Amino acid sequence: MRKHIFNAGPCKLADPCLENTAKAVLELNNSGQSILEVSHRSKDFQAVMDEAVSLFREVLSIPDNYHVLFMGGGASTQFAMIPMNFLKTKAAYVNTGTWSKKAIDEAKLFGNVEVIASSQDKNYTYYPKGFKIPSDVDYLHITSNNTIRGTEIFEDLNAPVPLIADMSSDILSRPVDVSKYAMIYGGAQKNMGPAGVTFVIIRNDMIEKIADRVVPTMLRYSTHVEGESMYNTPPCVNIFAVKETLKWVKAMGGVKAMEKLAKERAEMLYAEIERNPLFRPTVEEGSRSRMNIPFIWAEGKEDLQEKFLDFAKVRNIVGLKGHRSVGGFRASTYNACTIDDVKALVKCMQDFEKEV
Ligand SMILES: *Cc1c(COP(=O)(O)O)cnc(C)c1O
């Protein structure tokens, strides 16, 4: 039986994505070969890549003056590639938690970093708003959704400098005005596909802005633009699954429909967290992510931790254990998480309240 999956990443994927990818693993089209075996230079795979890119462009309304790339290395490699390619003297970063901090640490290897806003003062329980963006930096980097702390910015900022966003965990969960960004990137495994492939949306003019320093071939954005994501062997099966996810998002009504469902799921779960005397939320209202919802015990109830996780497990609910830095619980309600999944969790919380 399929479980109610609330894993933070890799995430739950839509059934048609799993079914079609499983079929392609056995045989891609009528090629007599698996997607795992077929040459990435073959017509069959080129068609997969082309469809993934064009669906991404369509679903997210990516303007023509942007390149769409799929590569390996995860979002974590992007943390280093961004400053390596674009940090000449100084870059601005917003610090909203673990992933931002990792990005900041990599940037410091290549130049000066100005942290222009941070929510560290309140343990990253809110998203800083209204901060002033300097105009003398090479770029501004933000993390649009903080997977671990559960805060999210729902706004596409107006920045006087190239704006770069790590959208690993909220991509495809709402319409985005891509034209406000110089670059958007992320690991696919939070909302767009399986682990092992990284998406990069990068404005054409950024390629001319690559720093005049030694950058290894694989870590230069121009390499992947010129190679059309095939400079080296791409993660073929992962890209296939991304294509299937995009097909599913489109069939479901696109990112607008995804946003509506995301709001519905988050509101339903937050309402129960607020109502249930056993639990409480950790994130301030107005900053609450629709994708990652952390919650902790009401005071004095902490001893129930293991009992509740076991209680959820027998109800086929998995992936609730909070990140080790926050404790408690985190329900990740990505695109493929259904209203029924959330209803099952809410019911579980209510039944547990009656039981203890
Ligand atoms: C998971 C995550 C990362 C790290 O992604 P990898 O692909 O594992 O390197 C970076 N940023 C955010 C916001 C994430 O959620």
Side-chain angles (χ1 to χ4, degrees):
M1 191 209 154
R2 193 136 163 78
K3 304 236 155 110
H4 301 292
I5 301 169
F6 292 95
N7 292 335
C11 67
K12 180 179 180 187
L13 292 173
D15 290 342
C17 166
L18 299 180
E19 284 154 17
N20 293 337
T21 304
K23 273 187 215 149
V25 166
L26 294 177
E27 186 179 13
L28 180 63
N29 304 331
N30 291 311
S31 66
Q33 302 172 77
S34 163
I35 181 76
L36 301 174
E37 299 166 325
V38 74
S39 164
H40 60 293
R41 307 283 174 202
S42 67
K43 256 198 211 143
D44 281 310
F45 184 73
Q46 188 65 54
V48 171
M49 179 68 99
D50 292 347
E51 196 182 350
V53 171
S54 72
L55 278 167
F56 201 10
R57 285 189 182 281
E58 183 185 345
V59 167
L60 204 63
S61 305
I62 301 171
D64 289 343
N65 61 323
Y66 286 74
H67 301 287
V68 171
L69 308 174
F70 292 112
M71 52 177 93
S76 302
T77 300
Q78 298 299 313
F79 294 164
M81 274 178 77
I82 290 161
M84 199 184 268
N85 282 263
F86 302 125
L87 205 176
K88 291 165 191 165
T89 50
K90 191 165 71 167
Y93 278 72
V94 176
N95 177 12
T96 47
T98 309
W99 298 115
S100 312
K101 274 197 292 190
K102 288 194 173 178
I104 289 167
D105 287 345
E106 294 299 298
K108 284 181 179 165
L109 300 173
F110 297 95
N112 295 322
V113 172
E114 194 182 335
V115 176
I116 61 161
S118 169
S119 51
Q120 192 172 10
D121 59 335
K122 289 191 185 167
N123 217 4
Y124 304 110
T125 53
Y126 70 102
Y127 207 107
K129 304 246 159 72
F131 44 84
K132 205 171 158 347
I133 304 169
S135 52
D136 65 340
V137 291
D138 296 313
Y139 61 85
L140 165 66
H141 180 281
I142 63 164
T143 314
S144 55
N145 183 67
N146 297 285
T147 322
I148 294 174
R149 298 289 169 167
T151 64
E152 185 173 3
I153 186 170
F154 300 103
E155 176 195 353
D156 301 309
L157 296 172
N158 287 308
V161 293
L163 174 62
I164 300 180
D166 174 357
M167 288 199 189
S168 292
S169 49
D170 60 347
I171 191 79
L172 300 177
S173 71
R174 66 170 176 95
V176 169
D177 183 353
V178 176
S179 71
K180 297 262 179 81
Y181 300 84
M183 179 175 153
I184 295 170
Y185 71 95
Q189 72 275 16
K190 306 281 167 53
N191 213 13
M192 200 177 166
V197 58
T198 311
F199 64 89
V200 173
I201 302 164
I202 186 167
R203 207 171 56 214
N204 296 353
D205 69 326
M206 291 303 283
I207 303 305
E208 277 110 61
K209 292 188 179 160
I210 293 177
D212 192 16
R213 67 161 65 91
V214 175
V215 180
T217 309
M218 270 297 282
L219 301 178
R220 224 180 291 145
Y221 287 106
S222 49
T223 301
H224 299 281
V225 167
E226 283 156 26
E228 297 181 354
S229 301
M230 295 235 217
Y231 169 77
N232 72 322
T233 321
C236 299
V237 70
N238 313 64
I239 292 169
F240 186 96
V242 163
K243 172 194 68 119
E244 288 302 319
T245 301
L246 286 161
K247 249 166 73 180
W248 171 78
V249 169
K250 185 181 164 184
M252 291 283 288
V255 284
K256 271 224 167 89
M258 291 295 119
E259 182 181 44
K260 188 164 170 279
L261 288 168
K263 279 183 182 165
E264 212 175 310
R265 290 189 302 264
E267 276 163 21
M268 193 186 291
L269 184 51
Y270 262 115
E272 177 60 19
I273 296 166
E274 297 272 15
R275 185 210 63 80
N276 195 314
L278 292 177
F279 304 102
R280 58 189 161 133
T282 59
V283 177
E284 287 181 14
E285 267 181 272
S287 295
R288 290 175 177 176
S289 167
R290 297 171 193 142
M291 298 283 104
N292 309 98
I293 303 178
F295 53 102
I296 55 175
W297 291 106
E299 240 165 72
K301 306 286 183 192
E302 295 82 0
D303 289 351
L304 296 169
Q305 179 81 8
E306 288 312 311
K307 196 171 174 202
F308 180 68
L309 287 174
D310 288 342
F311 193 82
K313 202 166 148 195
V314 298
R315 282 159 182 75
N316 284 314
I317 295 170
V318 296
L320 285 185
K321 194 170 188 307
H323 190 270
R324 57 194 181 278
S325 62
V326 183
F329 310 97
R330 170 179 50 172
S332 295
T333 50
Y334 296 119
N335 282 348
C337 173
T338 62
I339 299 291
D340 278 349
D341 288 331
V342 176
K343 278 186 180 157
L345 174 55
V346 166
K347 176 86 171 33
C348 171
M349 292 162 80
Q350 291 170 348
D351 289 349
F352 192 70
E353 180 194 358
K354 282 174 209 144
E355 174 137 329
V356 297

